[in-house]
Every structure is written in structure tokens, then in C-alpha cells.
Amino acid sequence: GENVEQHPSTLSVQEGDSAVIKCTYSDSASNYFPWYKQELGKRPQLIIDIRSNVGEKKDQRIAVTLNKTAKHFSLHITETQPEDSAVYFCAAKDYKLSFGAGTTVTVRA
Amino acid sequence: DGGITQSPKYLFRKEGQNVTLSCEQNLNHDAMYWYRQDPGQGLRLIYYSQIVNDFQKGDIAEGYSVSREKKESFPLTVTSAQKNPTAFYLCASSPSPGADGYTFGSGTRLTVV
């Protein structure tokens, strides 16, 4: 089955700086890569996703890049704000979603 | 509440008891999923169902059981065979088994007392 690894497990950034989270996957058949944001005790919310036929996608301050050859994808958050503080999960989908272990992001004011 | 409802929000179980977590969706989605979330381990798939009256084991199915008698409902039973059931349980659904977009419920926090 699919195995998704996510790094780092924790990330602390100064407000206004950028944050980068990296994930690798094992199954070359995976073709969909979403990113979820989860605030404490709440449900994961989809923030951005990318499909295997695309190399990069942006949505305001958030961007995701995908390298199919290397089997890795990354989340980039620019101009971080305190409300960006949360746990972020990457995932990869072949026939079902497999999740990374999560990254706790703290934005220092 | 996003079309998928989990209840209760908090659940306490005594050791040796079975408990059932509810998941209901009104999105007309065919596929439904149960995930378990522990600190530092992300979401792990327990069971999934692609269609009514059918379900498959996920990565950590031992000690759990499910049913899918109706399209809208996918209850999860945590049995006494599950040795470490304290966790946050999330239910999700998608329009079809191959669809990309998952909608999550708000979760049930189960604690063994």
C-alpha cells in the first residue's frame, strides 16, 4: 500500500516568513495529492490539492509543488499569519487516501 | 455541518465494553471511510465502504467492526478486542470510490475510563 512520509513534524516561523512542508510517497500509481489543515479538536479542512498531471498550483498565499519522478510534493505558505497556526497533513491517493503524520505549524507574532 | 454528522462528540467507555460511533451523511455519497487519529501519527484508515452492503478492512481494522445497511449511514463499533481505543475518530465520505474530494465529519473523541 501507499506510504506517505511528512517532514518536519513541527515548524515554528516568525509572522511574515514562509513555511515549507515536504512529503514523499511510495506508490507511483498515486495521482491525487491534497493538503489538509486541522485546528485543535476540529475536522481536517482541504486547503489545496494537486493532481499528477500538474507540477504546481497556487491559491493566494498557498502553493503546492509536485515532482512525480522523485515522488515528492511540498506545501509552501508565504507571508504567514497567526491564523496559519495549525496541524497540516499531506495525503496521497491511489484508490484511497493515505496520510502523512502531520506537521504542527506555529506562527510567532 | 458540512453534510456529514458524527455523534456523539465525546464518548467514554469502560474497559470490556463495546461502543458504537455514528456517522451520517446527506451528500448522496457512495463511499464512506473511518479514520483513527492519534497524536503524531496522522490519520490511519480503519474501514471503508464503496457501496451499500459492502465494506473493506483498512490498515488497522483489528478490534473494530462496521456495517453499511443504508447509503447514508456507516456506524463504527469499537469492540472490547481493541486494546487501545482512546483516540479521535473521523468519518469521511466521497461521491464515489474513485473520487478525489473527501468530506470529513467533526469527529468523536473516545476515551476509555
Side-chain angles (χ1 to χ4, degrees):
Chain A
E2 177 64 272
N3 180 44
V4 179
E5 295 190 355
Q6 182 172 348
H7 300 279
S9 58
T10 61
L11 181 60
S12 179
V13 296
Q14 189 69 36
E15 182 178 0
D17 288 350
S18 295
V20 180
I21 304 170
K22 298 182 178 182
C23 289
T24 61
Y25 62 99
S26 61
D27 189 350
S28 56
S30 290
N31 56 16
Y32 174 67
F33 307 91
W35 287 87
Y36 288 85
K37 176 182 179 181
Q38 187 180 29
E39 297 177 355
L40 190 62
K42 297 189 176 181
R43 75 183 77 191
Q45 299 274 13
L46 177 69
I47 56 172
I48 196 168
D49 56 13
I50 192 168
R51 288 175 173 79
S52 58
N53 59 346
V54 176
E56 183 176 1
K57 183 177 179 180
K58 290 183 179 179
D59 183 3
Q60 299 182 337
R61 297 186 296 108
I62 295 173
V64 58
T65 59
L66 172 65
N67 184 327
K68 285 179 57 180
T69 302
K71 294 182 190 170
H72 66 71
F73 56 114
S74 300
L75 178 72
H76 304 252
I77 307 173
T78 59
E79 301 173 16
T80 53
Q81 301 169 3
E83 52 265 37
D84 294 330
S85 296
V87 179
Y88 292 81
F89 293 97
C90 63
K93 181 174 179 287
D94 42 15
Y95 65 95
K96 59 177 175 61
L97 273 181
S98 297
F99 288 83
T103 298
T104 301
V105 173
T106 303
V107 180
R108 306 186 307 272
Chain B
D1 195 15
I4 182 165
T5 302
Q6 289 187 242
S7 62
K9 188 169 185 175
Y10 299 98
L11 187 58
F12 298 89
R13 189 194 94 171
K14 294 182 179 179
E15 288 192 19
Q17 282 184 336
N18 293 354
V19 289
T20 297
L21 283 59
S22 171
C23 179
E24 303 277 335
Q25 53 98 0
N26 60 4
L27 301 167
N28 200 33
H29 284 178
D30 284 327
M32 298 186 74
Y33 313 84
W34 274 106
Y35 286 89
R36 170 180 171 142
Q37 185 173 23
D38 296 282
Q41 295 192 48
L43 282 68
R44 293 182 290 167
L45 184 64
I46 305 172
Y47 267 98
Y48 63 101
S49 170
Q50 297 180 329
I51 198 168
V52 176
N53 292 321
D54 179 70
F55 50 82
Q56 306 294 330
K57 292 182 178 180
D59 301 320
I60 55 165
E62 185 175 353
Y64 300 97
S65 65
V66 294
S67 63
R68 187 85 187 277
E69 298 177 359
K70 299 187 299 181
K71 187 175 186 178
E72 305 79 28
S73 179
F74 190 41
L76 173 74
T77 297
V78 184
T79 75
S80 57
Q82 171 49 240
K83 298 306 178 186
N84 185 24
T86 295
F88 189 52
Y89 291 86
L90 284 160
C91 179
S93 69
S94 64
S96 65
D100 292 336
Y102 282 29
T103 301
F104 281 89
S106 55
T108 293
R109 185 164 298 280
L110 173 64
T111 304
V112 174
V113 297

Coordinates of all heavy atoms in Angstrom, one line a residue, chain A residues 2 31-32 34 36 38 41-46 49 51 87 89 93 95-102, chain B residues 1-2 4 33 35 37 40-43 45 48 59 88 90 97-102 104-106 109:
Chain A
E2 N 0.2 2.4 -0.1 CA 0.8 3.7 -0.1 C 1.4 4.0 1.2 O 0.8 3.8 2.3 CB -0.2 4.7 -0.6 CG 0.4 6.2 -0.6 CD 1.5 6.3 -1.6 OE1 2.6 6.1 -1.2 OE2 1.2 6.7 -2.7
N31 N -2.2 9.5 -7.7 CA -2.4 10.5 -8.7 C -3.1 11.8 -8.2 O -3.5 12.7 -9.0 CB -3.3 10.0 -9.9 CG -4.6 9.4 -9.5 OD1 -5.0 9.6 -8.3 ND2 -5.2 8.6 -10.3
Y32 N -3.3 11.8 -6.9 CA -4.0 12.9 -6.3 C -3.4 13.2 -5.0 O -3.2 12.3 -4.2 CB -5.5 12.6 -6.2 CG -6.3 13.7 -5.4 CD1 -6.5 14.9 -6.0 CD2 -6.9 13.4 -4.2 CE1 -7.2 15.9 -5.3 CE2 -7.6 14.4 -3.5 CZ -7.8 15.6 -4.1 OH -8.5 16.6 -3.4
P34 N -3.7 15.9 -1.9 CA -4.4 17.0 -1.2 C -3.6 17.4 0.1 O -2.8 16.6 0.6 CB -5.7 16.5 -0.8 CG -5.5 15.0 -0.6 CD -4.4 14.6 -1.5
Y36 N -4.4 19.1 3.9 CA -5.5 19.5 4.9 C -4.9 20.3 6.0 O -3.8 20.0 6.5 CB -6.1 18.2 5.4 CG -7.0 17.4 4.5 CD1 -6.4 16.5 3.6 CD2 -8.4 17.7 4.4 CE1 -7.2 15.8 2.7 CE2 -9.2 17.0 3.5 CZ -8.6 16.1 2.6 OH -9.4 15.4 1.7
Q38 N -5.8 21.3 10.0 CA -6.7 20.9 11.1 C -6.4 21.7 12.3 O -5.2 21.7 12.9 CB -6.5 19.4 11.4 CG -7.5 18.8 12.5 CD -7.3 17.4 12.8 OE1 -6.2 16.9 12.7 NE2 -8.3 16.7 13.2
G41 N -9.0 19.8 17.8 CA -10.3 19.3 18.1 C -11.3 19.4 16.9 O -12.4 19.0 17.1
K42 N -10.8 19.8 15.8 CA -11.8 20.0 14.7 C -11.5 19.1 13.5 O -10.5 18.4 13.5 CB -11.7 21.5 14.2 CG -12.2 22.5 15.3 CD -12.4 23.9 14.8 CE -12.9 24.8 15.8 NZ -13.1 26.2 15.3
R43 N -12.3 19.1 12.5 CA -12.1 18.3 11.4 C -11.1 18.8 10.4 O -10.8 20.0 10.4 CB -13.5 18.2 10.6 CG -13.8 19.4 9.8 CD -15.2 19.3 9.1 NE -16.2 19.5 10.1 CZ -17.5 19.3 9.8 NH1 -17.9 18.7 8.7 NH2 -18.4 19.5 10.7
P44 N -10.4 17.9 9.7 CA -9.5 18.4 8.7 C -10.2 19.1 7.6 O -11.3 18.7 7.1 CB -8.8 17.1 8.2 CG -9.1 16.1 9.2 CD -10.4 16.5 9.8
Q45 N -9.6 20.2 7.1 CA -10.2 21.0 6.0 C -9.2 21.0 4.9 O -8.1 21.3 5.0 CB -10.5 22.5 6.5 CG -11.4 22.6 7.7 CD -12.9 22.6 7.2 OE1 -13.2 22.3 6.1 NE2 -13.8 23.0 8.1
L46 N -9.8 20.8 3.7 CA -8.9 20.8 2.5 C -8.5 22.2 2.2 O -9.4 23.1 2.1 CB -9.7 20.2 1.3 CG -9.0 20.2 0.0 CD1 -7.8 19.2 0.0 CD2 -10.0 19.8 -1.2
D49 N -5.0 21.2 -3.4 CA -4.7 19.9 -3.9 C -4.1 20.0 -5.2 O -4.1 21.0 -5.9 CB -6.0 19.0 -3.9 CG -7.1 19.6 -4.7 OD1 -6.9 20.5 -5.5 OD2 -8.3 19.1 -4.6
R51 N -3.1 17.4 -8.8 CA -3.2 16.1 -9.5 C -1.9 15.8 -10.2 O -1.1 16.7 -10.5 CB -4.4 16.1 -10.4 CG -5.7 16.0 -9.6 CD -7.0 16.1 -10.4 NE -8.1 15.9 -9.6 CZ -8.7 16.8 -8.8 NH1 -8.2 18.0 -8.7 NH2 -9.7 16.5 -8.0
V87 N -2.3 22.1 12.5 CA -1.6 20.9 12.1 C -1.9 20.7 10.6 O -3.1 20.8 10.2 CB -2.0 19.7 12.9 CG1 -1.3 18.4 12.3 CG2 -1.7 19.9 14.4
F89 N -1.7 18.3 7.2 CA -1.4 16.9 6.7 C -1.4 16.9 5.2 O -2.2 17.5 4.5 CB -2.6 16.0 7.1 CG -2.7 15.8 8.6 CD1 -3.6 16.5 9.4 CD2 -2.0 14.8 9.2 CE1 -3.7 16.3 10.7 CE2 -2.1 14.6 10.6 CZ -3.0 15.3 11.3
K93 N -3.3 9.6 -2.9 CA -4.4 8.8 -3.2 C -4.1 7.9 -4.4 O -3.9 8.4 -5.5 CB -5.7 9.6 -3.4 CG -6.9 8.7 -3.7 CD -8.1 9.6 -3.8 CE -9.4 8.8 -4.1 NZ -9.4 8.4 -5.5
Y95 N -6.2 4.4 -4.7 CA -7.6 4.1 -4.6 C -8.2 4.6 -3.3 O -9.5 4.6 -3.2 CB -7.9 2.6 -4.8 CG -7.4 1.7 -3.7 CD1 -8.3 1.4 -2.6 CD2 -6.1 1.3 -3.7 CE1 -7.8 0.6 -1.6 CE2 -5.7 0.5 -2.7 CZ -6.5 0.1 -1.6 OH -6.0 -0.7 -0.6
K96 N -7.4 5.0 -2.4 CA -7.9 5.6 -1.1 C -6.8 6.6 -0.6 O -5.6 6.5 -1.0 CB -8.1 4.5 -0.1 CG -6.9 3.7 0.3 CD -7.2 2.7 1.3 CE -6.0 1.8 1.6 NZ -4.8 2.5 2.0
L97 N -7.2 7.5 0.3 CA -6.3 8.5 0.8 C -5.4 7.9 1.9 O -5.9 7.2 2.8 CB -7.0 9.7 1.4 CG -7.4 10.8 0.4 CD1 -8.1 11.9 1.2 CD2 -6.2 11.4 -0.3
S98 N -4.1 8.1 1.8 CA -3.1 7.7 2.8 C -2.5 9.0 3.3 O -2.1 9.8 2.5 CB -2.1 6.8 2.3 OG -2.7 5.5 1.9
F99 N -2.4 9.2 4.6 CA -2.0 10.5 5.2 C -0.6 10.4 5.7 O -0.1 9.4 6.2 CB -2.9 10.9 6.3 CG -4.3 11.4 5.8 CD1 -5.3 10.4 5.5 CD2 -4.6 12.7 5.7 CE1 -6.5 10.8 5.1 CE2 -5.8 13.1 5.2 CZ -6.8 12.2 5.0
G100 N 0.1 11.6 5.7 CA 1.3 11.7 6.4 C 1.0 11.9 7.9 O -0.2 12.1 8.3
A101 N 2.0 12.0 8.7 CA 1.9 12.1 10.2 C 1.5 13.4 10.7 O 1.2 13.6 11.8 CB 3.1 11.5 10.9
G102 N 1.6 14.5 9.8 CA 1.3 15.8 10.2 C 2.4 16.7 10.6 O 3.5 16.2 11.1
Chain B
D1 N -23.9 21.0 8.9 CA -22.5 20.9 9.4 C -21.6 20.1 8.4 O -21.1 19.1 8.7 CB -22.5 20.2 10.8 CG -21.2 20.3 11.5 OD1 -20.4 21.2 11.2 OD2 -21.0 19.5 12.5
G2 N -21.6 20.7 7.2 CA -20.8 20.1 6.1 C -21.4 18.9 5.5 O -20.8 18.2 4.6
I4 N -22.0 15.9 6.8 CA -21.7 14.7 7.4 C -21.6 14.9 8.9 O -20.9 15.7 9.4 CB -20.4 14.1 6.8 CG1 -20.0 12.7 7.4 CG2 -19.2 15.0 6.9 CD1 -19.0 11.9 6.6
Y33 N -15.7 6.4 4.9 CA -14.4 5.9 5.5 C -14.4 6.2 7.0 O -15.0 7.2 7.4 CB -13.3 6.7 4.8 CG -13.3 6.7 3.3 CD1 -14.1 7.7 2.6 CD2 -12.6 5.8 2.5 CE1 -14.2 7.7 1.3 CE2 -12.7 5.9 1.2 CZ -13.4 6.8 0.5 OH -13.5 6.8 -0.8
Y35 N -11.5 6.8 9.9 CA -10.1 7.0 10.3 C -9.9 7.2 11.8 O -10.8 7.7 12.5 CB -9.5 8.3 9.6 CG -9.3 8.2 8.1 CD1 -10.3 8.5 7.2 CD2 -8.0 7.7 7.6 CE1 -10.1 8.4 5.8 CE2 -7.8 7.6 6.3 CZ -8.8 8.0 5.4 OH -8.6 7.8 4.0
Q37 N -7.3 8.9 14.6 CA -6.2 9.8 14.7 C -5.6 9.8 16.1 O -6.3 10.0 17.1 CB -6.7 11.3 14.4 CG -5.6 12.3 14.4 CD -6.1 13.6 13.9 OE1 -7.3 14.0 14.0 NE2 -5.2 14.5 13.4
G40 N 0.7 12.6 16.6 CA 2.0 12.3 16.0 C 1.9 11.1 14.9 O 2.9 10.8 14.4
Q41 N 0.7 10.6 14.7 CA 0.6 9.5 13.8 C -0.3 9.8 12.6 O -0.6 8.9 11.8 CB 0.1 8.2 14.5 CG 1.1 7.7 15.5 CD 0.7 6.3 16.0 OE1 0.4 5.4 15.2 NE2 0.7 6.1 17.3
G42 N -0.8 11.0 12.5 CA -1.7 11.3 11.4 C -3.0 10.5 11.4 O -3.5 10.0 12.5
L43 N -3.6 10.3 10.3 CA -4.9 9.6 10.2 C -4.6 8.2 9.6 O -4.0 8.1 8.5 CB -5.9 10.3 9.3 CG -6.6 11.5 9.8 CD1 -5.6 12.7 10.1 CD2 -7.7 12.0 8.9
L45 N -6.4 4.5 8.3 CA -7.7 4.0 7.9 C -8.1 2.8 8.6 O -7.3 1.8 8.6 CB -7.6 3.8 6.4 CG -8.9 3.3 5.6 CD1 -9.9 4.4 5.7 CD2 -8.5 2.9 4.2
Y48 N -13.4 1.0 5.2 CA -14.1 1.8 4.2 C -15.1 1.1 3.4 O -15.1 -0.2 3.4 CB -13.1 2.5 3.2 CG -12.3 1.5 2.3 CD1 -12.7 1.3 1.0 CD2 -11.2 0.8 2.8 CE1 -12.0 0.4 0.2 CE2 -10.5 -0.1 2.1 CZ -10.9 -0.3 0.7 OH -10.1 -1.2 0.0
D59 N -6.1 -0.3 7.2 CA -4.8 -0.6 7.7 C -4.8 -1.1 9.1 O -3.9 -1.8 9.6 CB -3.9 0.6 7.6 CG -3.7 1.0 6.1 OD1 -3.7 0.2 5.2 OD2 -3.7 2.2 5.9
F88 N -9.1 9.9 18.6 CA -10.1 10.8 17.9 C -10.4 10.1 16.6 O -9.6 9.7 15.8 CB -9.4 12.1 17.6 CG -10.3 13.2 17.1 CD1 -11.5 13.5 17.8 CD2 -10.0 13.9 16.0 CE1 -12.3 14.5 17.3 CE2 -10.8 14.9 15.5 CZ -12.0 15.2 16.2
L90 N -12.5 9.9 13.0 CA -13.0 10.8 12.0 C -13.7 9.9 10.9 O -13.1 8.9 10.4 CB -11.9 11.6 11.3 CG -11.4 12.8 12.2 CD1 -10.1 13.2 11.7 CD2 -12.4 13.9 12.1
P97 N -16.2 5.8 -5.1 CA -14.9 5.3 -4.6 C -13.6 5.9 -5.3 O -12.6 6.0 -4.7 CB -15.0 3.8 -5.0 CG -16.5 3.5 -5.0 CD -17.1 4.8 -5.5
G98 N -13.8 6.3 -6.5 CA -12.6 6.9 -7.2 C -12.5 8.4 -7.1 O -11.5 9.0 -7.6
A99 N -13.5 9.0 -6.5 CA -13.5 10.5 -6.4 C -12.4 11.0 -5.5 O -12.1 10.4 -4.5 CB -14.9 11.0 -5.9
D100 N -11.9 12.2 -5.8 CA -10.8 12.7 -5.0 C -11.2 13.4 -3.7 O -10.5 13.3 -2.7 CB -10.0 13.7 -5.9 CG -9.3 13.0 -7.0 OD1 -9.0 11.8 -6.9 OD2 -9.0 13.6 -8.0
G101 N -12.3 14.2 -3.8 CA -12.6 15.0 -2.7 C -13.3 14.3 -1.5 O -14.3 13.6 -1.7
Y102 N -12.7 14.3 -0.4 CA -13.2 13.7 0.9 C -13.8 14.8 1.7 O -13.2 15.9 1.9 CB -12.2 13.0 1.7 CG -11.7 11.7 1.2 CD1 -11.7 11.3 -0.1 CD2 -11.2 10.7 2.1 CE1 -11.3 10.1 -0.5 CE2 -10.8 9.5 1.7 CZ -10.8 9.1 0.4 OH -10.4 7.9 0.0
F104 N -15.0 15.5 5.6 CA -14.9 14.9 6.9 C -16.0 15.4 7.8 O -16.5 16.5 7.7 CB -13.5 15.3 7.5 CG -12.4 14.5 7.0 CD1 -11.7 15.0 5.8 CD2 -12.0 13.4 7.6 CE1 -10.6 14.3 5.4 CE2 -10.9 12.6 7.1 CZ -10.2 13.1 6.0
G105 N -16.3 14.5 8.8 CA -17.2 14.8 9.9 C -16.3 15.6 10.9 O -15.1 15.7 10.8
S106 N -17.0 16.0 12.0 CA -16.3 16.8 13.0 C -15.6 15.9 14.1 O -15.0 16.4 15.0 CB -17.3 17.7 13.7 OG -18.4 17.0 14.2
R109 N -14.4 12.0 20.0 CA -13.2 11.7 20.8 C -13.7 10.6 21.8 O -14.5 10.8 22.7 CB -12.8 12.9 21.6 CG -11.5 12.6 22.4 CD -10.8 13.9 22.8 NE -10.4 14.7 21.7 CZ -9.3 14.5 21.0 NH1 -8.5 13.5 21.3 NH2 -8.9 15.3 20.0

